[in-house]
Each structure stands twice: as structure tokens, then as C-alpha cells.
Amino acid sequence: MKFIHIADVHLGAKADAGKKYSANRGEEIWESFAKIIDICEKKETDLLLIAGDLFHRQPLLRELKEVDYLFSKLTKTKVVFIAGNHDYIKWNSYYRTFRWSKNVFPLLSDRLGCVEFKEHETAVYGFSYYQREITERKYAKAKAWKKQKNEILLAHGGDEKHIPINRNELISLGYDYIAFGHIHKPITIEENKIVYSGALEPIDKNDVGLHGYIEGEIEDGKVQTKFVPFAMREYVHMHLEIDDTVTNMQLKEIIRDSIEERGIKNIYKILLCGFRNADIEFDVSNTDPFGNILEIVDETKPAYRFEKLKEKNKDNLLGKYIESIGDCESDSLEYMALYEGVEALLETKKG
């Protein structure tokens, strides 16, 4: 039995509104989801498991129709999904009344439910959120009912406000595989048995690293899974080490070249570190060659020429302080003490 496990698609999300790259980001998330449907069809996947937060908020009726159309294109694949904390089932949710295609089996009760696929000797269990936060350890009581040879649980949560979990409790429930959602990075709690697929696409600046889906297979009672990188973009935190030879124009070239090397479709938070020329202040307000920079943080420090400062200030406290520390290596604690002291005294002098 072959399955694909996804979660946290967040259809309808507007990531980083106001940024240049964000205008089409919502469409990209829909496109990414549609490609998963194509993969299921091409690979003749038996089950598509969606572990919550298919939508970023309460789905509109027209959005459910779009999703159901995509599901209806599947000729071999059955779809099972639950609602998570973002698309939880409100009293007036369209989830309650929508009629899905015959190959779609939502588990939308707030109590543990089960759908059986006898042709695959598989039962899939799960329940949905009816509120944004659930602090009860609901999965501790969600034991498998032993309906079929292969038992799978769809789950969503894992932190204090969203159904806290315990690894040993999960193992004791009796499932062959637990497909988790809610945490946006792929995480394996128990190899081939308890797995977070992570978000299909990164949704905000904290979703760094690879994103994609889990491809799995159950044969003769054994489960094998692998993570498949898939996202159109990544959020990348990039550190750039700067020295005292770098000018503003050169910095723009360094940033452009670094982004080209890492991928121009990715979204970057750039941290500038090291020691810049003391006479230069970097202007990062106009440095975004491809329109994909979320933020540039300048943590560079001015590279002081201590000998010149000592000579220029030999008759005052600054000069005497530099002389008291003497020569030291640039990576030593003494150097940092010298640097911090000189910076403080220069600020005092300016004041």
C-alpha cells in the first residue's frame, strides 16, 4: 500500500504581505498543492493523507469546490484528511455541509473516527479541531481499534496549546504509522512510524530549511518512508562575513552573487557580520537585486585602527586605555575587551 503524507498546506495564506515576491505567493501555494495531486496520479498512490491545516483559515465554499475538483481528478487515490487548528470547524463552517467526491473521506468529527479501505487492508483514524486550541492530551486515548492489517492515525498538534504529545504514549497506541501535522519542519519522532511531514511550502520567515512531503509504503507489515523535498521556495538565513575592505557598492555585488549561488527563488534574511571600515556606514535600504530579500540585519562593527587612535589620543583616557591593553590577537578575549572599551569611550567622546 503506497501513500503520500502532507500537512500544513495553508491554502489562502498571504505570506509576507507587502514584499515584492509575496504578490504571487498565494498562487504558488495552490500550484504546489495541485502538483501533489499530479504526483499521486502519476505514481498511482493508494492513499493521500492530509494531517490538518489544508487551509490557512476558514475555507470559502468556492475554495472547497476547487480542492474537490483536484481530488476528483484522482483515478487511483483515496484522500483522507482532518481539520487542524487553522481551519478548525466552526459552527458555520462549510466543512460541515460540503459534499465531497466519492474518493474523498474526511474525518471531521471531534471524536476519533475511522475509515476502512479493505482493498488495501488499511484503516485510517483521526479527528478534527473544533477550536483553535486544545490543551487536552487527546491522542493518549486514541488507541487503534484493530480494524485492518494496516492501522494509520492522522494527527495534528504536539505543543502545549495544540494537543500535547508523549512519544511513549504514541508508540503504545498500536498504529503502524502516525502521520502528524502542525510543526512546519519535517521531524521524525519514531523512524518510519511517527513522522511530521512539515509544511508543504514555507509560510513565514521562521520556516527555514527544506519543505516537502512524505512518501511511504507498507508491505508485509513493514513501513518504509522517505522525505521528498518539494517546495518552490525556501526561507534562507544567510550569514555574510564582511571585512574592512568592503564598500557599499561591493556589498551589493556580494549580496547579489550570494543569492545567485544559493537560488534566486528563495527568500532571504541576510545577516552582515564581521568588521567594516570605520569610515563606512552600510546603506541596506536599496539592496534587493531580485526582490526576494525579507530583511537585512547589519551587525558589523567598525574596524578601528588602534595604533592611530592611540597616537592621536596619547594625552587622554582613550589613548591610555589602548596602551594599557597592548597588542593582542583579533580573536582573543583581550581584543574584544579592547574593542568594546574603545567603542564606549568614543561614544562618550562624541556625546
Side-chain angles (χ1 to χ4, degrees):
M1 192 280 289
K2 297 185 295 184
F3 66 86
I4 283 179
H5 159 204
I6 64 173
D8 300 284
V9 182
H10 289 280
L11 297 172
K14 295 181 179 179
D16 306 322
K19 296 293 182 180
K20 290 181 182 178
Y21 57 81
S22 68
N24 298 321
R25 191 68 184 124
E27 291 178 18
E28 286 179 355
I29 294 170
W30 275 93
E31 287 173 17
S32 191
F33 176 63
K35 286 179 181 178
I36 285 290
I37 303 301
D38 292 339
I39 289 171
C40 287
E41 182 69 8
K42 182 179 179 180
K43 290 179 174 284
E44 297 188 350
T45 303
D46 297 308
L47 294 180
L48 172 59
L49 307 171
I50 306 175
D53 284 355
L54 176 56
F55 290 91
H56 189 63
R57 34 124 183 95
Q58 293 297 305
L60 303 174
L61 182 57
R62 59 178 172 79
E63 291 174 325
L64 292 181
K65 290 180 178 179
E66 295 288 354
V67 166
D68 189 57
Y69 166 71
L70 293 173
F71 289 157
S72 72
K73 292 167 60 179
L74 294 167
T75 60
K76 305 286 186 182
T77 307
K78 307 293 196 304
V79 181
V80 190
F81 73 90
I82 59 175
N85 61 297
H86 274 265
D87 57 354
Y88 71 97
I89 299 174
K90 295 176 72 172
W91 66 270
N92 60 347
S93 172
Y94 288 113
Y95 270 147
R96 291 176 178 268
T97 56
F98 190 79
R99 297 187 65 177
W100 296 92
S101 295
K102 61 183 181 180
N103 65 324
V104 183
F105 301 85
L107 293 168
L108 298 180
S109 171
D110 61 345
R111 296 184 180 182
L112 188 67
C114 172
V115 57
E116 295 181 66
F117 303 98
K118 294 181 180 180
E119 68 273 30
H120 303 305
E121 298 182 288
T122 299
V124 181
Y125 301 75
F127 57 80
S128 290
Y129 277 62
Y130 273 60
Q131 58 201 60
R132 279 194 178 276
E133 296 181 358
I134 301 175
T135 56
E136 180 188 352
R137 304 176 72 89
K138 294 187 69 171
Y139 293 121
K141 305 171 185 176
K143 283 187 176 291
W145 299 342
K146 303 301 180 184
K147 291 277 190 178
Q148 291 291 335
K149 181 181 178 181
N150 306 317
E151 304 272 278
I152 295 175
L153 175 66
L154 286 184
H156 191 91
D159 60 36
E160 291 182 0
K161 293 183 178 180
H162 305 94
I163 313 183
I165 61 172
N166 175 280
R167 176 179 173 274
N168 291 330
E169 282 180 353
L170 294 174
I171 292 172
S172 70
L173 296 177
Y175 292 99
D176 298 284
Y177 183 71
I178 301 180
F180 254 108
H182 182 60
I183 295 175
H184 283 193
K185 65 172 78 173
I187 297 173
T188 297
I189 296 176
E190 185 74 8
E191 188 175 2
N192 292 323
K193 288 186 72 71
I194 307 172
V195 180
Y196 281 92
S197 65
L200 187 63
E201 289 276 342
I203 303 303
D204 64 38
K205 63 183 179 181
N206 297 313
D207 289 350
V208 296
L210 295 175
H211 289 78
Y213 62 91
I214 301 296
E215 190 173 85
E217 184 173 328
I218 304 178
E219 186 175 7
D220 297 328
K222 293 183 179 179
V223 184
Q224 292 296 322
T225 63
K226 68 174 181 179
F227 172 73
V228 181
F230 180 73
M232 295 184 182
R233 299 177 186 256
E234 286 180 52
Y235 281 87
V236 177
H237 289 184
M238 186 161 63
H239 288 67
L240 295 180
E241 189 75 25
I242 303 301
D243 61 36
D244 61 0
T245 66
V246 175
T247 65
N248 262 293
M249 293 300 293
Q250 189 177 0
L251 177 63
K252 290 184 178 183
E253 292 176 1
I254 290 170
I255 290 174
R256 184 193 64 220
D257 293 346
S258 299
I259 290 176
E260 281 186 330
E261 182 179 346
R262 190 69 185 265
I264 62 173
K265 284 189 71 69
N266 294 328
I267 303 164
Y268 292 89
K269 177 180 178 179
I270 298 174
L271 177 66
L272 306 178
C273 48
F275 291 89
R276 69 180 186 277
N277 189 300
D279 297 324
I280 287 180
E281 290 289 337
F282 289 134
D283 178 14
V284 297
S285 60
N286 238 351
T287 308
D288 192 357
F290 304 105
N292 59 352
I293 295 178
L294 181 67
E295 183 181 11
I296 300 178
V297 179
D298 183 5
E299 291 189 357
T300 59
K301 296 181 178 181
Y304 296 119
R305 302 193 180 280
F306 295 118
E307 283 299 318
K308 286 188 176 181
L309 280 173
K310 182 175 74 172
E311 183 63 28
K312 189 176 180 180
N313 296 275
K314 60 184 179 181
D315 295 327
N316 60 38
L317 180 60
L318 177 57
K320 289 179 170 54
Y321 177 76
I322 297 172
E323 187 175 8
S324 71
I325 295 203
D327 294 334
C328 51
E329 297 294 328
S330 60
D331 59 351
S332 66
L333 289 174
E334 289 85 356
Y335 183 87
M336 292 309 299
L338 174 61
Y339 181 89
E340 296 293 343
V342 166
E343 192 166 51
L345 288 169
L346 286 172
E347 286 298 320
T348 302
K349 192 175 180 183
K350 288 177 185 176

